[in-house]
Amino acid sequence: MRKLSNIPEPEQISPERDSLKIALIYFIAAGIWIIFSDRAVLIMFNDLETISFVQTYKGMLFVLVTSLLLYLALKKQISGYQKLANQLSENYHELESTHDKLLDTRQELNEKIKELEESKKTIYNQAFYDSLTGLPNKNKLLDDISLNKYAPGQVLMLLDLNNFGKINNYYGFKFGDELLKVVARKLKSISEKKMEVYRIGGDEFALLLLKSRFSKSLTKKIKGIFARNFIISGHEIQVSFCMGVAYFPEDADTALELLKKSETAMNKAKEQQKSNIEYYQKAMDREIAGYLKLDEDLNSAFNNNEFELFFQPILDINREKIRKLEALIRWNKPCHEYISPRKFIPFAEQSGLIHKIDNWVLEKACRQKKLWDEMGINGFSLAVNISVRQLSEESFYQRLLEQIEKRKISCSGLEFEITESAIMKNFPDSINFLKKIQELGIKISLDDFGSEYSSLNYLLKLPIDSIKIDRTFISDIPWDERQHKIIEAIIKLARIIGLKVTVEGIETEEQYSMIHNKQADYVQGFYLGRPASAREIQQKLENQS
């Protein structure tokens, strides 16, 4: 806003003072004029008529001069006021314009504030709520647990959908999202007083209960949700769940710790592969610690060459000579005796280390077979166990071809042992894979026959050369007569369809004698020979030549 330098400040303006100033100027000018003009007239003129005439024009001159003086004085004063009025008018218009701009700015600010509030709400929702189901998320769960940290008896239930990844892969991600939304609605519908439902992420949900105990009625409601099939996009599917339960403050004293404990219990429930609920126990932490230690030790074992390949004899029951060797991995852990694969193979299958173990066993077995062939020690085949993972990997077939080519070994001297359960994981693909193996000249043996499906229909379809009767059929021999009949029937059936039979688990002389009379082809067990190193087995092979 402009300000003129010759415009007085408001406190400098005084009507009384300005009026008095003008009047005083007029009074002094008039007094001086009257005194000096009258004397001058008397001095200059003696004639009364002339004096009277001069006085008349003198008065008119006085009026003219004083009017001019008043005009100039008032003009100056009023000009100042005029400038002030103009400035005030100009300032008023500026203020009016500024006021309009401020109103516009205020409106813009209100809009910005509204946008910020909406953004804040959006950010809050993104931070604390799941966009797919609308349920509170993991961050909100941790906040809620922390806000109620002094409330006794909080129960956290972590729920996971079994095989959700397979459902996604088969039906598609859109189908999976719809399933998650349906599960969310159903869980929300059973929500009890002082209970909230959350989606933690993926296919995991959480239920936070703010009361003393996890009620049986709630358990029944949750199981009821999954007892019925879900209908999604016209498809009817069965979905199972696993759930872990942890209590605050009995199991944990922080929100993150409570979530961790419930997840530990949930992972334990997952092992059942069906709808199951597990409650956290301290023993679970010790089990996890052991799991992690075993994982670390197994990785170190590869780096430190702690694995060794042992071989267990499989005898031709009629000639009582070694005709097969089963390659078995052993872990020569420092400061320990040899560790049986039964103790670490199941863990390796869960952790993914079975891939490295399978490759190692195949390579070592092929190398040893080639070495014995070059030494002239032959007349037997080498059996290698094949895992579920190898059956599903095209790369395994390529590695097998590479080993055969690299070692220049005869495929007729190799045999692969595979369990029923491994084949049934993906029956059609397993058949195709086994046929490719047979085409190379490698024999296929069905391991642990009788412990799983044992379907005659499957037995006819499978491209196999022999079966190994599971050790469970031998354990009660020679006392259980029914076992005798079952084994005899299996052997006869195998002969009818052209399969060789190996009976494993022979640990006593009585068992060996009984099986010898049943006309099996091969026998295997501790009574006939324990797994031994390549050097020890080589001596036995040389001695029987």
Side-chain angles (χ1 to χ4, degrees):
M1 189 181 298
R2 286 189 305 110
K3 180 180 178 182
L4 298 176
S5 59
N6 56 348
I7 297 297
E9 298 291 339
E11 61 271 13
Q12 294 177 332
I13 300 174
S14 172
E16 294 82 1
R17 184 184 62 214
D18 291 344
S19 300
L20 181 62
K21 181 179 178 182
I22 294 171
L24 185 60
I25 293 172
Y26 177 77
F27 176 77
I28 293 172
I32 293 172
W33 175 266
I34 292 171
I35 295 171
F36 288 99
S37 64
D38 286 349
R39 287 188 178 184
V41 170
L42 291 174
I43 294 172
M44 292 174 63
F45 303 101
N46 295 319
D47 183 11
L48 291 175
E49 185 178 350
T50 303
I51 291 173
S52 175
F53 176 80
V54 171
Q55 286 286 22
T56 300
Y57 283 97
K58 179 175 75 75
M60 292 175 64
L61 181 61
F62 172 77
V63 171
L64 178 63
V65 172
T66 54
S67 296
L68 180 61
L69 291 174
L70 285 173
Y71 168 77
L72 294 174
L74 290 173
K75 180 184 177 184
K76 180 181 179 183
Q77 200 67 25
I78 293 172
S79 294
Y81 293 145
Q82 184 184 28
K83 291 179 181 179
L84 181 58
N86 291 336
Q87 185 63 46
L88 288 173
S89 176
E90 185 178 336
N91 289 347
Y92 171 79
H93 290 302
E94 288 185 13
L95 286 172
E96 194 174 46
S97 175
T98 303
H99 176 261
D100 292 338
K101 291 179 180 179
L102 287 173
L103 288 177
D104 293 339
T105 303
R106 180 183 178 183
Q107 185 176 354
E108 290 177 6
L109 285 173
N110 287 336
E111 291 175 356
K112 291 292 183 183
I113 290 171
K114 186 177 180 180
E115 289 177 7
L116 287 172
E117 288 176 349
E118 290 176 353
S119 297
K120 181 180 178 182
K121 185 178 180 180
T122 301
I123 292 170
Y124 179 84
N125 287 336
Q126 290 174 345
F128 292 99
Y129 286 87
D130 174 51
S131 60
L132 178 66
T133 63
L135 293 176
N137 62 15
K138 180 180 177 180
N139 294 332
K140 188 69 165 62
L141 170 66
L142 296 175
D143 268 10
D144 289 348
I145 296 173
S146 300
L147 287 172
N148 294 284
K149 66 180 295 185
Y150 299 110
Q154 290 189 73
V155 185
L156 180 59
M157 298 150 274
L158 204 60
L159 183 147
D160 182 85
L161 305 182
N162 292 329
N163 299 317
F164 181 74
K166 293 181 180 179
I167 293 173
N168 253 347
N169 291 336
Y170 185 78
Y171 291 103
F173 291 104
K174 186 177 181 181
F175 183 94
D177 288 346
E178 288 301 316
L179 174 60
L180 291 173
K181 288 192 280 189
V182 172
V183 171
R185 285 197 300 269
K186 288 181 178 291
L187 289 175
K188 193 70 177 174
S189 69
I190 65 167
S191 184
E192 297 186 351
K193 186 179 180 182
K194 293 187 177 181
M195 172 181 154
E196 186 61 80
V197 181
Y198 306 79
R199 184 188 176 206
I200 302 303
D203 60 338
E204 288 187 11
F205 296 85
L207 293 81
L208 181 63
L209 195 60
L210 299 177
K211 63 181 185 181
S212 57
R213 290 288 99 180
F214 179 37
S215 65
K216 291 183 179 179
S217 63
L218 182 57
T219 306
K220 187 176 180 181
K221 289 178 183 177
I222 294 172
K223 288 185 176 180
I225 290 175
F226 295 92
R228 300 174 182 174
N229 289 349
F230 287 77
I231 300 176
I232 310 292
S233 302
H235 298 277
E236 187 173 350
I237 62 168
Q238 175 66 48
V239 180
S240 62
F241 75 98
C242 57
M243 189 164 77
V245 183
Y247 292 93
F248 182 91
E250 295 95 323
D251 298 328
D253 54 9
T254 66
L256 279 173
E257 192 69 16
L258 185 64
L259 182 61
K260 177 183 174 184
K261 301 301 184 185
S262 60
E263 187 170 9
T264 298
M266 183 189 71
N267 289 332
K268 184 68 176 178
K270 274 185 180 180
E271 296 175 5
Q272 303 298 322
Q273 287 298 312
K274 61 181 181 179
S275 292
N276 186 39
I277 299 175
E278 288 284 346
Y279 297 83
Y280 170 77
Q281 297 177 5
K282 291 183 178 179
M284 294 177 182
D285 285 337
R286 292 193 292 271
E287 186 177 334
I288 291 174
Y291 181 98
L292 295 175
K293 183 66 169 62
L294 184 56
D295 182 70
E296 181 183 347
D297 290 347
L298 278 174
N299 279 291
S300 297
F302 277 105
N303 297 330
N304 299 329
N305 297 317
E306 295 174 11
F307 291 115
E308 187 175 345
L309 204 60
F310 274 35
F311 304 87
Q312 186 173 22
I314 300 175
L315 274 64
D316 182 322
I317 198 168
N318 296 316
R319 299 182 181 182
E320 295 186 345
K321 287 189 175 183
I322 298 173
R323 285 293 176 259
K324 297 182 183 182
L325 291 174
E326 182 178 1
L328 300 167
I329 188 172
R330 289 293 184 270
W331 183 4
N332 187 12
K333 190 176 181 181
C335 303
H336 291 76
E337 296 180 353
Y338 280 105
I339 300 175
S340 168
R342 293 179 182 273
K343 294 184 178 180
F344 63 86
I345 290 298
F347 167 81
E349 289 175 342
Q350 292 179 14
S351 65
L353 284 172
I354 192 67
H355 179 78
K356 293 177 68 175
I357 290 176
D358 288 340
N359 291 341
W360 185 89
V361 170
L362 179 64
E363 181 183 353
K364 293 294 183 182
C366 291
R367 180 186 298 176
Q368 187 61 55
K369 185 67 171 69
K370 176 62 177 177
L371 180 62
W372 279 331
D373 287 345
E374 290 175 345
M375 296 173 64
I377 304 173
N378 42 41
F380 66 93
S381 60
L382 185 59
V384 179
N385 290 282
I386 302 299
S387 69
V388 178
R389 187 181 296 271
Q390 287 171 305
L391 273 179
S392 60
E393 287 183 349
E394 180 63 28
S395 59
F396 170 72
Y397 184 75
Q398 297 301 323
R399 288 195 300 274
L400 173 62
L401 294 178
E402 289 172 6
Q403 286 297 322
I404 293 172
E405 178 65 25
K406 181 179 180 180
R407 306 297 175 189
K408 305 296 182 184
I409 58 177
S410 171
C411 291
S412 61
L414 290 178
E415 182 173 309
F416 284 165
E417 293 188 5
I418 183 166
T419 63
E420 292 178 90
S421 58
I423 294 174
M424 296 308 297
K425 291 288 184 181
N426 193 333
F427 190 72
D429 289 345
S430 296
I431 290 179
N432 293 333
F433 178 83
L434 294 178
K435 284 181 177 178
K436 289 172 65 176
I437 296 297
Q438 275 191 328
E439 288 171 1
L440 295 175
I442 299 173
K443 298 291 190 297
I444 305 295
S445 177
L446 185 62
D447 198 9
D448 298 336
F449 180 78
S451 63
E452 295 286 346
Y453 303 91
S454 303
S455 167
L456 297 181
N457 183 43
Y458 287 138
L459 199 59
L460 290 171
K461 291 181 179 179
L462 288 173
I464 57 176
D465 302 285
S466 63
I467 60 173
K468 290 182 76 172
I469 298 177
D470 187 65
R471 65 180 63 250
T472 55
F473 289 95
I474 311 300
S475 58
D476 293 333
I477 289 176
W479 301 280
D480 193 331
E481 185 62 30
R482 291 177 300 177
Q483 298 286 61
H484 285 258
K485 294 180 179 179
I486 292 174
I487 293 173
E488 188 174 334
I490 293 174
I491 293 174
K492 288 182 179 179
L493 175 64
R495 290 193 179 283
I496 290 172
I497 59 179
L499 299 178
K500 297 289 186 180
V501 178
T502 300
V503 181
E504 61 179 339
I506 306 296
E507 298 184 0
T508 66
E509 184 178 355
E510 292 86 354
Q511 291 172 342
Y512 176 72
S513 297
M514 190 280 294
I515 296 299
H516 194 282
N517 295 329
K518 301 298 181 185
Q519 297 182 340
D521 297 291
Y522 303 101
V523 285
Q524 178 182 6
F526 287 174
Y527 175 72
L528 304 167
R530 291 178 174 272
S533 66
R535 182 184 301 174
E536 294 173 283
I537 290 297
Q538 182 174 317
Q539 291 177 351
K540 290 184 178 182
L541 292 171
E542 290 172 339
N543 291 336
Q544 77 172 13
S545 298

